[in-house]
Amino acid sequence: MTDFEDHFTFYRDMAVVLILLPLAVFLLIWVPIQLKYRAGKWVGLSLLVYGTSTFILGISSPVDHSLLDNAWHRINAPYHAIVDTEVGRASEKGIILSAEAIATLRLKYTHSVNELAVELKESFKQQTPISGDSLVMELILVKRATIQRLPSSNWDDQESLWPFALPRDVYHQIRLSRDSIHTGYLYELLHEYQSLFVPIDPWNIEDEGMQTEALNRYLMQQNYREIAAETTQVLDLLQAQ
C-alpha cells in the first residue's frame, strides 16, 4: 500500500515512452547530420550499437528501489502506527472498521481521504448519535494531522476550511450520546483538538517521519485561531457541567 492513490508511473502506464525516448535522442543526433552529410551505412551501424548498448546497460544496471522504498516506509511508519493502534483499540471496545476504511485512512494526499474528511465532518451535524466507527475514523484523522484544510471557495472562512468536525458539533454529539464508549471518544476528540494548538517547532523534530504532522500542526495554529478558541470554550463548558 502506498500513500498515494491512482499514482502514475511510466513503467506501468506508458512503458512505450521508455522505448521511444532513447530513439528520439538517437534521431535528434543523426537527423541534422544526415541533412548535411552523406551518412550512408553509419546510421544503421550507429543504431545497432546504440540499441545494443542501451539494452546491455538496462540489464546490467537495474534500478534498486529498495533504498527509496525503505526510506519512504520509514517516514510513513509513525502514521501507519497511529492507524493500527486506534483500529486495535477500537476492536477491543467492540467497534470494527471495514478493510476499505482502514486502507483509506492509511493513505495521504488523496481525494479519498478528503472525501472521507468531508463526510465525517457533516455526520457530526446530524440529529442522531454518530456511529462508533465514524468516531474512530475522525480521531485517527486528527491524530495523523495530515490534512490542513478542506477544499473551499472562501479562504477566509475558517469553519469551511477546518478539516474536522467543528467543536460545537462534537459538543452536540456529546449531548446526544447515550453510550459511554462513544462519549469517551468524543471527549478524547476535543482534547486532541486542544493538542493541535499546543505550540510546536516543526523544524526541530528529530523523528523525520513526524515532520509533516508537525508542520501541519504549526500551520493549523496560525490559521485556525477561532477554532482553537471554540475548542477551549466547549471544554470549559463541559468541565462546568
Side-chain angles (χ1 to χ4, degrees):
M1 176 66 69
T2 67
D3 293 290
F4 295 90
E5 187 174 48
D6 300 329
H7 56 289
F8 174 85
T9 63
F10 276 112
Y11 181 77
R12 184 189 65 189
D13 301 309
M14 294 189 66
V16 67
V17 173
L18 301 178
I19 298 174
L20 294 177
L21 189 59
L23 181 59
V25 172
F26 177 83
L27 292 175
L28 187 65
I29 296 172
W30 272 106
V31 167
I33 294 176
Q34 278 191 304
L35 291 175
K36 290 187 176 182
Y37 307 103
R38 299 174 64 180
K41 65 179 180 180
W42 288 106
V43 177
L45 182 61
S46 297
L47 179 60
L48 178 62
V49 173
Y50 184 73
T52 303
S53 302
T54 302
F55 179 75
I56 292 174
L57 285 173
I59 295 178
S60 62
S61 306
V63 177
D64 184 6
H65 294 283
S66 61
L67 292 177
L68 182 60
D69 290 342
N70 291 338
W72 183 252
H73 290 311
R74 185 176 66 254
I75 289 173
N76 289 283
Y79 300 99
H80 296 332
I82 291 172
V83 177
D84 296 338
T85 299
E86 292 303 326
V87 168
R89 186 162 71 101
S91 179
E92 293 174 357
K93 298 176 183 291
I95 302 174
I96 306 300
L97 273 66
S98 68
E100 181 181 359
I102 295 172
T104 300
L105 289 167
R106 292 173 70 89
L107 293 171
K108 280 186 186 177
Y109 320 122
T110 72
H111 62 270
S112 292
V113 175
N114 285 332
E115 288 176 356
L116 176 62
V118 171
E119 180 182 340
L120 290 172
K121 183 176 182 177
E122 290 301 314
S123 67
F124 277 79
K125 300 179 184 293
Q126 64 191 21
Q127 298 304 314
T128 54
I130 193 170
S131 64
D133 60 336
S134 294
L135 283 172
V136 174
M137 288 189 287
E138 183 77 338
L139 182 63
I140 290 173
L141 289 182
V142 175
K143 286 191 172 185
R144 280 169 59 96
T146 55
I147 310 175
Q148 287 185 39
R149 58 183 177 271
L150 295 178
S152 174
S153 59
N154 186 358
W155 282 71
D156 295 324
D157 185 359
Q158 291 188 19
E159 292 187 5
S160 64
L161 291 171
W162 176 248
F164 313 119
L166 294 170
R168 71 183 75 118
D169 292 330
V170 178
Y171 176 74
H172 167 67
Q173 284 296 323
I174 290 176
R175 298 194 52 141
L176 291 175
S177 178
R178 297 294 181 267
D179 186 301
S180 60
I181 293 177
H182 290 191
T183 303
Y185 270 113
L186 289 163
Y187 272 89
E188 185 177 356
L189 194 56
L190 287 172
H191 285 293
E192 283 297 327
Y193 286 1
Q194 194 175 44
S195 72
L196 286 175
F197 300 106
V198 174
I200 188 172
D201 181 3
W203 294 277
N204 193 29
I205 302 297
E206 294 183 0
D207 186 349
E208 63 178 334
M210 299 305 291
Q211 288 175 351
T212 299
E213 184 228 23
L215 180 58
N216 285 348
R217 285 175 179 263
Y218 175 79
L219 293 174
M220 283 181 167
Q221 291 165 18
Q222 310 306 310
N223 297 329
Y224 298 112
R225 300 182 189 277
E226 293 178 9
I227 301 295
E230 184 177 318
T231 299
T232 301
Q233 291 173 1
V234 169
L235 285 171
D236 289 344
L237 178 60
L238 290 170
Q239 188 175 9
Q241 292 179 353

